[in-house]
Amino acid sequence: MNFQPGTIGEGAAAADPRPHLVVVGNGMAGCRAVEELLARDPHRYRVTIFGAESHVNYNRIMLSPVLAGEKTFDEIVINDAAWYRDNQIELVSSDPVIAINRAGRTVTSRSGRTLGYDKLLIATGSDPFIIPVPGKDLPGVISFRDMNDVDAMLAAAGKGGDAVVIGGGLLGLEAAHGLTLRGMKVTVLHLMPTLMERQLDEAAGWLLKSALEARGQTILTGADTAEILGTDAVEGVRLKDGSVIPASLVVMAVGIRPSTALAREAGLAVGRGIQVDDHMVTSDADVLAVGECVEHAGQVYGLVAPLWEMCRALADGLVEKHSGYTGSVTSTKLKVSGIDVFSAGDFSGGDGAEDIVLRDASRGVYKRVVVKDDRIVGAVLYGDTGDGGWYFDLLKRQEDVSQLRDMLIFGQAFAQGGGAADPKAAVAALSDDAEICGCNGVTKGQVVGCIEKGACSLDAVRAGCKASASCGSCTGLVENLLAVTLGDAVQAGPKTMCRCTSFGHDDIRREIVAQGMRSIPEVMQMLHWSTPDGCSSCRPALNYYLLCALPGDYVDDQQSRFVNERMHANIQKDGTYSVVPRMWGGLTNPTELRAIADVVEKFNAPMVKVTGGQRLDIFGIRKEDLPAVWADLNAAGMVSGHAYGKSLRTVKTCVGSEWCRFGTQDSTGLGVKLERGFWGSWMPHKFKMAVSGCPRNCAEATIKDFGVVCVDSGYELHVGGNGGIHVRATDLLVKVTTETEAMHYAAAFVQLYREEARYLERTAPWIERVGLQHIKDRVVEDVEGRDALAARFWHSQTFSQEDPWAERVAGAAREQHAHMAAFKPLAVEEMA
Amino acid sequence: MIGEWLDIGWLGEIPVRGSRTVPVDGGEEIAVFRTGDDQVFALVNRCPHKGGPLSQGIVHGHSVACPLHNWNIALATGQAQGDDKGCTPVIPVKVSGGRVLICRAGVLQAAA
Ligand SMILES: Cc1cc2nc3c(=O)[nH]c(=O)nc-3n(C[C@H](O)[C@H](O)[C@H](O)COP(=O)(O)OP(=O)(O)OC[C@H]3O[C@@H](n4cnc5c(N)ncnc54)[C@H](O)[C@@H]3O)c2cc1C
Ligand code: SF4
Ligand code: FES
């Protein structure tokens, strides 16, 4: 993405009238600030970002895992080239800004390019501190700051040999760890008596030192570097006490300094860092600064969490919303696999501070919590850092811990739950602004928000709010949050479809349509199913969703249907089947009755029963005989009644105006029309209709999925009734005046149910879940939407009104009925 | 010579993730399953719960979900899975040259 000289500030820029925001620094803070801005108002500024590095925006703190070989560079990219493109951000990489002209409001880059700005954001981060000893400029002496440094270390490690890491802080130890894993013999030189003395107390530092030595590193504390030896390249390090350590690579990781040169030369107020106010504005109102290069209220920060808070305040300011940054308390974790170290706040003790310490030598656990005036002021954890987030949260909130004091050191589960070590209860108890993901600065509130917006898997949370998307040390917390959040919302919110997936029904349906998926294996592949081919819960659901989404196109998967639908008959407890032929609107005639009687006799059916839906049910048919039964019924003009299916079953009617003295309309006639129009349509669950000729309601239309009650002035359309385990009377959807309208609304309603209800959800729970108003909005208020729904329904019906019995009689899927082979064991014996 | 293994037909006759049945005179019907990864298993066609015809269940992974009450039965062992207890006899089966062969002794045992 390098620019050719002379292209900048012309062309596209001239055509873009928006104020120009120029960002110096394509690092963590600079890009995050832009992300925050885009989230608030994607169109307000035209954005150009200058980066000294040749890369897109990556997660700098993950350089340690890259060095250790636990991640690749691609895995730590935060925003790839497509992000810049999609957001119309110009990225000028490998071209650092070398001067700012505040009077002319321009910046100039090393390649000589000058570019005007309306707002300038400086996010230049830090420069590594190089101790001024002889030999510091020799080839083979590097810092640990960016991807180039990692590449240099990897090149050196490829040759093997000795490495010296100067600095036993967070960065130095992570470098030493990576180099050790890459096969180098590593010596760590640390000036202070204990490692990570700014984060760890002596005891924890000592534990850490022993653990690292056990991994083969040499740790020299109290080691003061005098000189780096070598002529053309590094050969070793000499300490002030005279000892010499051979080395072909020296990594300097002794500290960082805010990168302020550019700002200083431009005349901005600079202390230890570039001075900013609560909205990250520098001494020049049009110049902002954010990240490690700034000084806020006398503080500079060297960790990412505070940067995120700064970026939020900055973006709010840029869109004229005033929140403001008020400083941060920080915590640290060491990213050395297998060694858990956590520290937060101030643990130096001092007046009135009390220490609560727990040591468990055999488990290698050390915990220390520093309490002052009943508030936690610091914590150091070694070996078991699971409660780090909780201590840090109590610390930030300045919570009074006097009640918890006795049990504080045993951790959250113990202190709050009386011993039940339930990690879910632990995350549930965290406050909303407790930090979950340090790498990406995501709080519990943000993760929960993301889950509530529909992310119901780890991947979805990672994609949605980035929590756990980097080093992964917070994955357990995120998983517990998922469990806690979705667990609470089991009735209301999205629940996963089954154990094969972490997505809920609604997500899956949406993705099927959005991504145009066309088969069950494709859905399972794209949505990361955890089983090879699903289970008996998800397969029928997916089959239905695809069928509904792609009428006429999708090839039904027989093996993903429950036996009843596969056999087009109802399985009974003895393994035989019952068969229900369709009787339109509940009407029949002598031919049909005769055919049924003949079938009963011919196949010795032990029972015939009138169903609740006014049809005749023939029991006790063997699987092998089903095709013959259907053939006989088909011959008399009868088709499958779908009494076995998640589909339209029956339309119950009364006799209405034709015979009944109360009847207001032809309820029987309308019932027949409905059944002829709607039969064969697959649904999320079984679906029943009824039409009553007057409010006496002899057809019990008000406990059906769709019921019509005829009245003098027309037709009342009712929905969501259910006579099942939980009896539910219908809600009145609308009143219409003609049969045609009644049919039209019915089609729209059915299609809405087909498209939006979850598989195996009948209309009653569906309506209670989404609310009647939603259905009215879609089917009654929205005229165009109603027409579109109905059109989709009738389109789908052109494919679904094939009698499955007739297809089988014609020979389809014959193997479903015939035995594969048969044995007579005695004969077999004889043959043998 | 028929030998130890009885030829019951082509593998292709069994739908993938489906099954076919083989009745045995005087004995118990056998269900022959074919899984998504093209392995073949045979079980007595009777669920250990209430005798449901396992051949009619949904085959997923190396299990079948009984069509009556959705118990999951492991195809390799016949064992009910999860919290359910019970076992369906397994009949040794193999595929050779595209033909499905079941073990004669197993059939006889199931017949007994
Ligand atoms: C190896 C390593 C491990 C770390 N581990 C952790 C950790 O576990 N937890 C934690 O909280 N923090 C950690 N940090 C610190 C964290 O990475 C920094 O706090 C964070 O990156 C600072 O963000 P920033 O945007 O201010 O600076 P940076 O991310 O450094 O970005 C500054 C960018 O500006 C560019 N730049 C500088 N000058 C110019 C110029 N004149 N023109 C154009 N571009 C310029 C630089 O090249 C750089 O790309 C680690 C840092 C490193 C190096
Ligand atoms: S609902 Fe009314 S019209 Fe229909 S049969 Fe009953 S009383 Fe007669
Ligand atoms: S008979 Fe198989 S689950 Fe009940």
Side-chain angles (χ1 to χ4, degrees):
Chain A
M1 266 225 185
N2 283 336
F3 275 72
Q4 298 308 312
T7 57
I8 283 205
E10 297 163 10
D16 193 335
R18 295 175 297 172
H20 192 193
L21 171 68
V22 172
V23 182
V24 184
N26 186 36
M28 299 195 65
C31 278
R32 178 61 164 244
V34 172
E35 280 181 48
E36 292 278 350
L37 174 63
L38 293 174
R40 283 163 184 71
D41 186 347
H43 305 299
R44 181 173 302 223
Y45 290 93
R46 174 162 73 90
V47 181
T48 302
I49 304 180
F50 279 91
E53 294 182 67
S54 62
H55 298 282
V56 290
N57 174 223
Y58 61 89
N59 190 342
R60 189 171 312 283
I61 75 179
M62 300 311 286
L63 287 177
S64 303
V66 171
L67 177 64
E70 289 153 4
K71 296 254 168 181
T72 63
F73 179 74
D74 286 346
E75 287 174 292
I76 71 166
V77 165
I78 300 178
N79 291 305
D80 58 12
W83 176 80
Y84 293 92
R85 196 168 54 236
D86 295 347
N87 291 294
Q88 294 163 356
I89 297 168
E90 305 279 19
L91 171 64
V92 188
S93 51
S94 312
D95 195 11
V97 169
I98 52 162
I100 299 169
N101 173 353
R102 289 202 288 130
R105 296 219 282 186
T106 60
V107 295
T108 303
S109 72
R110 190 172 58 192
S111 72
R113 203 163 335 200
T114 295
L115 187 55
Y117 66 79
D118 297 293
K119 288 275 180 195
L120 180 67
L121 170 59
I122 304 177
T124 46
S126 303
D127 300 319
F129 182 62
I130 303 292
I131 37 175
V133 289
K136 67 178 168 55
D137 297 321
L138 280 170
V141 179
I142 52 181
S143 56
F144 186 15
R145 183 70 206 169
D146 59 25
M147 196 56 208
N148 291 342
D149 297 330
V150 172
D151 285 337
M153 281 191 254
L154 291 180
K159 299 193 204 106
D162 298 290
V164 166
V165 174
I166 305 180
L170 197 85
L171 220 54
L173 294 182
E174 290 183 4
H177 172 66
L179 292 171
T180 307
L181 289 182
R182 296 283 181 178
M184 295 193 90
K185 191 172 168 307
V186 179
T187 304
V188 178
L189 306 181
H190 193 52
L191 186 61
M192 305 304 284
T194 59
L195 294 176
M196 284 177 73
E197 77 287 344
R198 279 196 307 200
Q199 290 88 18
L200 299 183
D201 60 8
E202 239 173 272
W206 180 83
L207 283 168
L208 179 59
K209 179 169 182 255
S210 339
L212 294 173
E213 284 169 344
R215 291 170 170 221
Q217 296 176 17
T218 307
I219 312 278
L220 302 180
T221 50
D224 199 353
T225 306
E227 186 185 355
I228 296 174
L229 306 170
T231 42
D232 303 327
V234 167
E235 287 162 18
V237 176
R238 188 170 59 79
L239 300 182
K240 289 214 172 127
D241 67 6
S243 51
V244 170
I245 302 134
S248 54
L249 173 73
V250 172
V251 180
M252 286 246 203
V254 289
I256 50 170
R257 296 244 165 108
S259 169
T260 55
L262 193 61
R264 198 186 297 272
E265 278 158 27
L268 294 167
V270 173
R272 280 203 291 158
I274 305 166
Q275 286 169 339
V276 292
D277 68 7
D278 290 355
H279 299 105
M280 315 315 292
V281 179
T282 66
S283 54
D284 176 337
D286 288 326
V287 181
L288 304 130
V290 72
E292 281 187 348
C293 59
V294 307
E295 173 185 325
H296 173 266
Q299 293 286 323
V300 297
Y301 297 93
L303 293 167
V304 293
L307 312 185
W308 304 150
E309 293 169 30
M310 293 178 194
C311 288
R312 284 194 278 274
L314 175 130
D316 280 346
L318 276 177
V319 298
E320 288 129 32
K321 196 178 121 201
H322 287 279
S323 57
Y325 175 65
T326 52
S328 305
V329 198
T330 57
S331 69
T332 330
K333 266 187 262 177
L334 180 67
K335 298 187 301 297
V336 170
S337 45
I339 301 183
D340 292 326
V341 178
F342 173 89
S343 102
D346 175 15
F347 48 86
S348 56
D351 278 355
E354 304 162 85
D355 282 335
I356 310 174
V357 176
L358 175 135
R359 279 174 214 275
D360 184 339
S362 61
R363 279 202 303 143
V365 169
Y366 168 83
K367 301 184 185 186
R368 173 160 166 240
V369 177
V370 186
V371 178
K372 202 171 188 170
D373 301 330
D374 293 328
R375 312 275 189 270
I376 295 182
V377 295
V380 179
L381 307 176
Y382 184 94
D384 173 3
T385 54
D387 283 309
W390 182 58
Y391 292 126
F392 189 46
D393 186 34
L394 292 174
L395 184 157
K396 279 201 295 192
R397 286 189 290 138
Q398 286 295 290
E399 194 109 326
D400 182 336
V401 294
S402 49
Q403 297 302 309
L404 299 173
R405 225 201 110 98
D406 291 352
M407 284 176 295
L408 197 56
I409 199 70
F410 301 111
Q412 179 179 22
F414 206 80
Q416 290 185 332
D422 178 359
K424 292 200 186 95
V427 294
L430 288 178
S431 72
D432 265 0
D433 50 10
E435 185 174 283
I436 297 293
C437 172
C439 300
N440 293 299
V442 189
T443 62
K444 172 179 165 185
Q446 291 171 305
V447 176
V448 169
C450 173
I451 296 171
E452 282 169 355
K453 271 192 241 129
C456 47
S457 68
L458 189 60
D459 280 343
V461 170
R462 287 174 172 168
C465 65
K466 302 205 168 152
S468 147
S470 296
C471 77
S473 65
C474 61
T475 300
L477 287 175
V478 174
E479 282 172 343
N480 286 331
L481 274 178
L482 273 162
V484 168
T485 314
L486 297 177
D488 286 341
V490 161
Q491 303 90 354
K495 194 168 82 164
T496 69
M497 186 157 164
C498 65
R499 270 180 291 178
C500 307
T501 173
S502 45
F503 288 94
H505 283 265
D506 301 345
D507 300 303
I508 293 167
R509 291 203 85 163
R510 199 184 45 239
E511 292 301 310
I512 286 177
V513 175
Q515 305 196 31
M517 300 181 212
R518 311 190 70 81
S519 70
I520 293 178
E522 185 179 359
V523 176
M524 291 180 172
Q525 183 62 32
M526 303 214 12
L527 299 180
H528 314 286
W529 240 244
S530 63
T531 48
D533 48 17
C535 70
S536 55
S537 300
C538 55
R539 288 235 310 270
L542 293 182
N543 191 50
Y544 168 71
Y545 292 155
L546 287 160
L547 203 66
C548 178
L550 302 165
D553 250 348
Y554 172 69
V555 185
D556 191 67
D557 179 24
Q558 282 294 302
Q559 303 315 330
S560 297
R561 287 197 175 258
F562 291 122
V563 59
N564 283 356
E565 290 184 350
R566 198 169 348 110
M567 301 307 289
H568 302 299
N570 278 335
I571 195 167
Q572 301 298 345
K573 65 187 264 190
D574 63 351
T576 65
Y577 292 81
S578 75
V579 170
V580 182
R582 216 168 256 299
M583 290 176 173
W584 308 101
L587 299 177
T588 185
N589 59 38
T591 322
E592 290 181 356
L593 289 171
R594 215 168 270 126
I596 289 173
D598 288 344
V599 162
V600 171
E601 268 181 5
K602 183 164 158 193
F603 295 92
N604 280 318
M607 182 166 92
V608 186
K609 163 101 182 52
V610 179
T611 69
Q614 304 174 329
R615 307 292 184 272
L616 287 171
D617 197 351
I618 309 163
F619 285 84
I621 308 292
R622 297 186 309 157
K623 162 182 93 170
E624 310 78 288
D625 292 338
L626 284 171
V629 168
W630 298 333
D632 288 1
L633 294 170
N634 274 174
M638 304 178 87
V639 299
S640 168
H642 287 84
Y644 44 79
K646 313 291 175 222
S647 63
L648 175 75
R649 297 213 171 159
T650 52
V651 183
K652 190 172 180 176
T653 60
C654 73
V655 292
S657 59
E658 217 178 325
W659 295 87
C660 178
R661 62 203 157 103
F662 301 108
T664 63
Q665 312 279 356
D666 179 12
S667 52
T668 327
L670 178 56
V672 173
K673 281 190 194 121
L674 280 169
E675 190 158 353
R676 292 225 177 253
F678 287 73
W679 76 277
S681 56
W682 296 111
M683 309 263 195
H685 208 303
K686 63 182 172 189
F687 194 94
K688 298 180 176 184
M689 301 200 203
V691 187
S692 284
C694 81
R696 283 173 185 75
N697 194 12
C698 294
E700 295 163 339
T702 51
I703 53 160
K704 295 291 183 280
D705 296 283
F706 185 87
V708 182
V709 175
C710 305
V711 290
D712 280 323
S713 53
Y715 305 82
E716 287 176 4
L717 308 184
H718 293 257
V719 294
N722 186 348
I725 300 178
H726 300 289
V727 181
R728 182 183 195 271
T730 46
D731 292 308
L732 177 64
L733 180 68
V734 65
K735 212 191 118 194
V736 298
T737 48
T738 66
E739 275 193 354
T740 315
E741 283 174 289
M743 294 284 286
H744 189 57
Y745 276 89
F749 171 75
V750 162
Q751 186 65 11
L752 187 68
Y753 171 60
R754 297 183 71 229
E755 288 177 6
E756 293 194 352
R758 299 172 189 158
Y759 191 65
L760 295 189
E761 184 174 47
R762 286 201 63 180
T763 55
W766 171 58
I767 287 178
E768 288 187 354
R769 178 166 65 80
V770 303
L772 178 65
Q773 194 53 47
H774 168 71
I775 305 206
K776 284 189 169 169
D777 289 346
R778 298 286 306 274
V779 176
V780 182
E781 313 300 340
D782 177 0
V783 180
E784 277 172 29
R786 171 169 70 237
D787 292 346
L789 280 167
R792 288 204 289 281
F793 177 73
W794 295 121
H795 171 72
S796 152
Q797 281 301 80
T798 59
F799 305 102
S800 61
Q801 289 194 324
E802 299 278 351
D803 177 30
W805 287 357
E807 288 175 357
R808 285 291 167 89
V809 171
R814 187 167 297 163
E815 79 283 352
Q816 298 279 6
H817 307 282
H819 294 301
M820 187 173 188
F823 281 112
K824 293 194 166 48
L826 286 179
V828 168
E829 196 90 87
E830 278 161 14
M831 283 195 285
Chain B
M1 247 249 0
I2 301 283
E4 281 308 303
W5 293 92
L6 307 173
D7 185 329
I8 56 170
W10 289 103
L11 175 63
E13 294 174 43
I14 313 173
V16 177
R17 291 185 203 88
S19 85
R20 298 290 305 275
T21 46
V22 178
V24 177
D25 232 24
E28 295 226 55
E29 192 165 270
I30 295 167
V32 187
F33 299 90
R34 179 174 174 193
T35 59
D37 57 1
D38 244 348
Q39 299 206 37
V40 176
F41 299 91
L43 294 178
V44 164
N45 191 20
R46 174 173 45 81
C47 175
H49 179 218
K50 292 195 169 167
L54 294 177
S55 58
Q56 301 304 299
I58 289 184
V59 176
H60 55 98
H62 284 184
S63 307
V64 58
C66 175
L68 292 197
H69 316 96
N70 211 28
W71 277 29
N72 276 306
I73 312 296
L75 294 175
T77 61
Q79 292 284 352
Q81 302 189 303
D83 292 338
D84 300 323
K85 296 275 167 297
C87 187
T88 293
V90 179
I91 291 119
V93 60
K94 67 178 184 184
V95 180
S96 172
R99 305 292 300 182
V100 181
L101 307 169
I102 60 178
C103 172
R104 188 173 61 96
V107 175
L108 292 176
Q109 219 163 43

